[in-house]
Amino acid sequence: MCGIVGYLGAQQAMPLLLEGLKRLEYRGYDSAGMAVIGGSGLEIRRSLGKLKELEKVLQESPLVGTMGIGHTRWATHGRPSETNAHPHQVGHIAVVHNGIIENYLELKQALIQEGHSFSSETDTEIVAQLIYKYSSQGADFAQSVRLALKDIRGSFALVVLNAQEPRTLIAARKESPLILGLANGEYFVASDIPAILHHTRQVIFLEDDDLVILKDGEFFLEGPDCQPVTRPVTTITWSPAMAEKAGYKHFMQKEIFEQPRALIDTFRTRIDPDRGDIFLEEFKLPDSELHNLKKITLVACGTSFHAALVGKFLLEDLCRLPVEVDLGSEFRYRNPFVDASTLLIPISQSGETADTLAGLREGKAKGAHALAICNAVGSSIARDSENVFYTHAGPEIGVASTKAFTTQLVALFLIALYLARRLGRQTAAQVREQLSNLLKLPTLVQEVLDYDQELREIGRRYVQAHNFLYLGRGIHYPIALEGALKLKEISYIHAEGYPAGEMKHGPIALIDEYLPVVVLATRGPVFDKMMANVEEVIARRGRVIALSEADNYPVYEKVETLIPVPETPLALSPILLVVPLQLLAYHIADLRGTDVDQPRNLAKSVTVE
């Protein structure tokens, strides 16, 4: 959604805030702004567009002071404009906000009747107006914020400045991510770790209804009842270099090439290939309750939903339990049938996806056991789950998810094997063979990455296409969906993923000599069926791009373009097949000149409904 950063310390705030915003721009880039308190009091600079526009403003009119807040916006309420950019100021109060104030219209109407006037179209200005109102009525700074928070409904991460208290900064959160960074008497607040990683690795993950008051050299943390609370300090193990481009043109490109390392980091401490053991210390469900499980429900959004679809194949095949897959945005609105015999697996890279978090809470309220898969340590979904499988992919800055997806697939593979072993559905020898195959996977992924330049040339052949169709069967159908999603996200080419067997029920009408059709046609139980689909496409003059083994001559001889992939067992093949699709989408987008890391209208972490 939006990116927030705040600073209180002895250094000049403007360059620190600007640096933090650059590392949060993936969360929103419709507009940006900054407020600093210094010798000239409270000053604000804002601009429409990406952060570089704010940089120009700050170069012409810098802000001086050692305390401030910054914001990069993804518009929800109010069109992108300088007027709607954050921070919002009302009198001596300035506010930045991530989230949605659900009752802002009724609050706005009441405030207008009281004589307040508004300068923006945003819901965020409501917060500034309320805090200013209570401050003007005699409440102190902290109490003004508390009273305002009681009035508003919705999700929020807020950071507030008060020109009348120039060495105090207040932050609060509810259902939107916010962290507090501690650095030798200096304090940082931010939406995400990369914003502050160059300055501190000591982080407190604020929880829902937390309010923190920062003053020179000290901080006070309150819970929902305004009583002091303590939260653990977490040491972040990511290095700052992990969040930089490291010579790549785009973060997405870098993250695609990080996948061999990310896969290893996901499984390396969790397996014993010699004994055929998997160690999931995070999963604490006792055997008595594990054996009472009657089904598994996976809940996710976007790319993580495609991972969940792959997980359904893995879990049903290995564990022999029925598996349902739900979109987080639909799950809680259909009164889902889950109970104490259900294992609920929410999947989210950020751990802050609002719809997935709501689905988790709905499932837990009905008695389900929860095992979350996420990448962000200390995130909301991780904290709300009884058990967490961290993927350890490292920070993913590109909006289009790549390494997070493949590490989620590894996590699902290991969870399926682990449950199958504990339930007696797989022997140690069978698990040992599966883990042996997993150990080979990073090398095979690197072989695909070594084909990068050839994939760029393939992308050049199809860069002018207006539509793509992706076809897959069985466990490869979700990869067709993911391949299509990647292309449309970053290149703005319309693309559709489809189960190949359904092609004749509609999509076949789209096929002509201009339509590239990407087919996942590796050897396996449905290979002959896929070849029948290939023949149908060719008969209608479609341009077939096939992913298959290099020596699979029945495919090679038929198609316009072959993308070779190494041979691997079916259960792990989705991980291998998605990598060339990521690269193909990346190169087509780059050749078209789109903004690969920050595609229009999208944000990395969707923390509102």
Side-chain angles (χ1 to χ4, degrees):
M1 199 46 58
C2 302
I4 288 174
V5 63
Y7 173 75
L8 172 63
Q11 301 182 62
Q12 284 296 309
M14 187 186 79
L16 296 176
L17 296 173
L18 191 58
E19 176 191 0
L21 289 177
K22 287 179 179 178
R23 293 186 169 85
L24 292 178
E25 197 174 10
Y26 63 90
R27 296 182 64 88
Y29 30 85
D30 293 329
S31 59
M34 189 181 299
V36 168
I37 295 180
S40 301
L42 174 62
E43 293 188 274
I44 290 179
R45 307 285 186 267
R46 302 187 300 187
S47 67
L48 174 65
K50 294 192 174 184
L51 197 58
K52 62 184 180 182
E53 301 303 322
L54 179 62
E55 281 192 89
K56 293 176 185 176
V57 173
L58 292 171
Q59 287 171 0
E60 296 173 1
S61 181
L63 294 170
V64 178
T66 56
M67 170 179 163
I69 54 179
H71 188 274
T72 181
R73 182 173 186 246
W74 186 65
T76 51
H77 289 73
R79 67 191 186 280
S81 69
E82 189 275 334
T83 302
N84 289 331
H86 300 212
H88 286 286
Q89 180 179 3
V90 179
H92 52 274
I93 300 296
V95 175
V96 292
H97 167 228
N98 173 30
I100 289 179
I101 307 303
E102 295 174 359
N103 60 334
Y104 87 101
L105 284 176
E106 59 191 79
L107 290 172
K108 184 174 183 177
Q109 184 177 9
L111 287 165
I112 289 172
Q113 290 175 350
E114 293 174 11
H116 295 258
S117 59
F118 287 76
S119 61
S120 78
E121 303 166 320
T122 71
D123 57 340
T124 301
E125 191 181 349
I126 291 292
V127 182
Q129 293 277 3
L130 288 170
I131 297 172
Y132 176 74
K133 167 188 169 181
Y134 290 122
S135 177
S136 299
Q137 292 174 352
D140 64 28
F141 185 17
Q143 187 62 17
S144 298
V145 175
R146 293 188 194 102
L147 289 169
L149 295 181
K150 288 182 180 179
D151 288 342
I152 63 178
R153 296 195 308 270
S155 62
F156 54 79
L158 298 167
V159 190
V160 189
L161 295 181
N162 183 344
Q164 296 180 350
E165 296 196 30
R167 298 305 295 170
T168 302
L169 184 150
I170 296 179
R173 71 149 279 174
K174 181 182 179 183
E175 299 176 2
S176 289
L178 197 65
I179 60 173
L180 170 63
L182 312 175
N184 298 320
E186 296 181 303
Y187 299 105
F188 297 83
V189 288
S191 300
D192 205 353
I193 293 166
I196 64 174
L197 197 54
H198 277 69
H199 305 285
T200 181
R201 296 189 184 185
Q202 303 302 303
V203 167
I204 294 175
F205 293 93
L206 300 181
E207 299 188 7
D208 279 352
D209 298 311
D210 278 355
L211 182 143
V212 61
I213 303 168
L214 305 176
K215 295 188 176 183
D216 277 329
E218 55 186 348
F219 72 93
F220 305 92
L221 187 57
E222 298 178 356
D225 55 0
C226 300
Q227 295 300 309
V229 295
T230 57
R231 304 290 184 219
V233 178
T234 301
T235 300
I236 303 302
T237 57
W238 299 349
S239 69
M242 292 176 73
E244 301 296 340
K245 290 182 183 176
Y248 289 94
K249 186 175 181 180
H250 298 99
F251 280 112
M252 181 182 178
Q253 183 187 28
K254 171 179 177 279
E255 288 153 9
I256 290 171
F257 277 84
E258 287 177 335
Q259 287 177 114
R261 187 273 308 161
L263 298 177
I264 293 170
D265 285 350
T266 300
F267 67 67
R268 66 177 175 177
T269 61
R270 293 186 162 110
I271 64 173
D272 184 339
D274 294 330
R275 295 175 54 189
D277 275 345
I278 297 164
F279 310 108
L280 294 189
E281 296 177 0
E282 309 96 328
F283 190 55
K284 303 177 178 66
L285 195 66
D287 283 342
S288 58
E289 296 188 48
L290 180 68
H291 285 276
N292 285 333
L293 292 180
K294 292 184 171 59
K295 73 170 182 177
I296 299 171
T297 298
L298 303 169
V299 178
C301 301
T303 285
S304 296
F305 175 72
H306 298 158
L309 291 172
V310 174
K312 175 181 173 69
F313 286 92
L314 296 172
L315 289 160
E316 287 191 340
D317 181 51
L318 294 169
C319 302
R320 306 313 300 155
L321 283 172
V323 178
E324 295 178 354
V325 181
D326 260 286
L327 287 162
S329 55
E330 297 290 335
F331 179 68
R332 64 176 168 144
Y333 294 113
R334 65 173 183 84
N335 191 20
F337 185 76
V338 297
D339 55 23
S341 66
T342 304
L343 175 62
L344 180 68
I345 303 181
I347 308 173
S348 167
Q349 186 281 139
S350 68
E352 302 291 350
T353 308
D355 289 319
T356 306
L357 178 59
L360 166 63
R361 290 172 175 169
E362 176 76 10
K364 286 185 65 180
K366 292 176 178 290
H369 303 282
L371 170 59
I373 298 174
C374 69
N375 186 39
V377 175
S379 58
S380 296
I381 287 173
R383 292 199 305 272
D384 275 23
S385 296
E386 304 159 65
N387 314 279
V388 187
F389 188 119
Y390 287 116
T391 54
H392 301 305
E396 188 177 68
I397 305 302
V399 167
S401 182
T402 53
K403 65 177 180 176
F405 177 71
T406 52
T407 55
Q408 287 169 353
L409 296 184
V410 169
L412 287 161
F413 179 71
L414 290 178
I415 289 169
L417 284 176
Y418 173 80
L419 293 175
R421 187 78 181 94
R422 281 187 64 183
L423 291 168
R425 314 283 161 76
Q426 289 274 299
T427 66
Q430 289 172 314
V431 173
R432 191 159 49 240
E433 181 181 358
Q434 299 270 23
L435 295 180
S436 175
N437 294 327
L438 178 63
L439 288 172
K440 299 171 187 174
L441 188 65
T443 300
L444 299 179
V445 170
Q446 186 59 54
E447 286 184 30
V448 175
L449 294 172
D450 291 341
Y451 198 67
D452 178 55
Q453 287 307 306
E454 289 84 350
L455 281 163
R456 187 170 184 83
E457 292 309 308
I458 291 171
R460 199 181 300 278
R461 285 181 225 163
Y462 301 97
V463 72
Q464 299 302 325
H466 298 292
N467 300 281
F468 270 72
L469 182 63
Y470 288 69
L471 300 176
R473 281 181 179 261
I475 200 170
H476 295 161
Y477 158 54
I479 303 306
L481 293 176
E482 177 62 12
L485 177 62
K486 283 293 148 291
L487 186 68
K488 71 179 98 175
E489 278 182 312
I490 61 173
S491 74
Y492 314 144
I493 295 173
H494 172 256
E496 194 169 354
Y498 235 83
E502 293 294 297
M503 184 181 70
K504 55 186 172 291
H505 294 289
I508 198 168
L510 300 173
I511 298 172
D512 59 20
E513 65 270 28
Y514 304 109
L515 182 70
V517 181
V518 180
V519 297
L520 306 176
T522 54
R523 296 187 182 100
V526 293
F527 175 69
D528 290 340
K529 299 291 186 184
M530 281 303 304
M531 286 308 298
N533 294 128
V534 169
E535 295 285 3
E536 290 175 325
V537 173
I538 293 171
R540 288 154 183 84
R541 302 174 65 189
R543 305 177 67 187
V544 179
I545 306 167
L547 276 67
S548 191
E549 298 84 358
D551 61 350
N552 198 346
Y553 297 111
V555 179
Y556 183 81
E557 293 170 349
K558 289 281 186 182
V559 303
E560 179 176 297
T561 300
L562 179 75
I563 299 175
V565 292
E567 192 163 355
T568 195
L570 185 64
L572 295 173
S573 61
I575 301 170
L576 202 59
L577 288 172
V578 78
V579 176
L581 298 184
Q582 294 168 349
L583 285 169
L584 182 65
Y586 168 77
H587 287 304
I588 290 175
D590 187 39
L591 290 164
R592 288 169 66 93
T594 64
D595 193 338
V596 171
D597 284 334
Q598 298 173 356
R600 67 189 181 207
N601 303 332
L602 296 177
K604 181 64 178 173
S605 179
V606 183
T607 55
V608 296
E609 284 194 79

